[in-house]
Amino acid sequence: MSSRLGDALSAPDTKSRYVRRLFATIAERYDLITRLLSYGQDRRWKARLVALSAAAPGTRALDLACGTGDIAFALAARGAQVSGLDITFRMLQLARAKGGAASFLAGDMLALPFQMASSTSSLQATA
């Protein structure tokens, strides 16, 4: 590993900046890259994940590192109330442009922008 990359990954704050910058760079081609690198299997994996989730109307779901929203939209299509969270703002812009019933917000999964609600076990957004 190069010293420059090692430095970028050495601490949580520098790692977050590196990841955000990396995914902002590939965001426009993210779906294509995913499809190519998985030999087209990503669609099947995502469908399997959604099926295993047993999401149904009334279910609340949080899609961490949601990218361009494919899983969030598939969960929403099953009736779930879905929030997608991603560290890269451009990914969220592309997800929103696809349209659909999920909501999206920028954030780091290592510092979730939610607090536990005191009277229920649901999450409340702090942002």
Side-chain angles (χ1 to χ4, degrees), residues 1 3 12 15 25 28 35 40 45-46 50 60 62 65 72 74 79 90-91 101 114-115 119 122-125:
M1 181 176 337
S3 175
K15 184 177 182 178
T25 301
E28 305 297 327
R35 192 113 330 110
W45 298 335
K46 291 170 186 174
V50 170
R60 294 182 72 191
L62 176 59
R90 183 63 184 141
M91 290 286 201
F114 301 101
Q115 62 184 9
S119 61
S122 63
L123 295 174
Q124 302 295 319

Side-chain angles (χ1 to χ4, degrees), residues 51-110:
L52 287 171
S53 77
T59 302
R60 294 182 72 191
L62 176 59
D63 182 2
L64 296 174
C66 67
T68 61
D70 291 347
I71 293 169
F73 292 129
L75 291 166
R78 294 177 62 116
Q81 179 185 347
V82 184
S83 294
L85 179 113
D86 201 279
I87 197 168
T88 307
F89 185 70
R90 183 63 184 141
M91 290 286 201
L92 298 174
Q93 289 176 315
L94 294 168
R96 288 182 186 116
K98 288 181 177 180
S103 63
F104 296 97
L105 95 130
D108 187 338
M109 73 171 78
L110 297 177

Side-chain angles (χ1 to χ4, degrees), residues 13-82:
D13 60 322
T14 57
K15 184 177 182 178
S16 291
R17 281 194 303 272
Y18 174 81
V19 169
R20 191 176 306 113
R21 195 171 43 245
L22 172 68
F23 281 94
T25 301
I26 66 166
E28 305 297 327
R29 298 173 309 277
Y30 178 76
D31 290 335
L32 175 64
I33 292 168
T34 301
R35 192 113 330 110
L36 293 173
L37 290 176
S38 71
Y39 295 101
Q41 296 299 306
D42 64 301
R43 289 181 180 156
R44 187 173 57 87
W45 298 335
K46 291 170 186 174
R48 175 92 169 123
L49 173 68
V50 170
L52 287 171
S53 77
T59 302
R60 294 182 72 191
L62 176 59
D63 182 2
L64 296 174
C66 67
T68 61
D70 291 347
I71 293 169
F73 292 129
L75 291 166
R78 294 177 62 116
Q81 179 185 347
V82 184

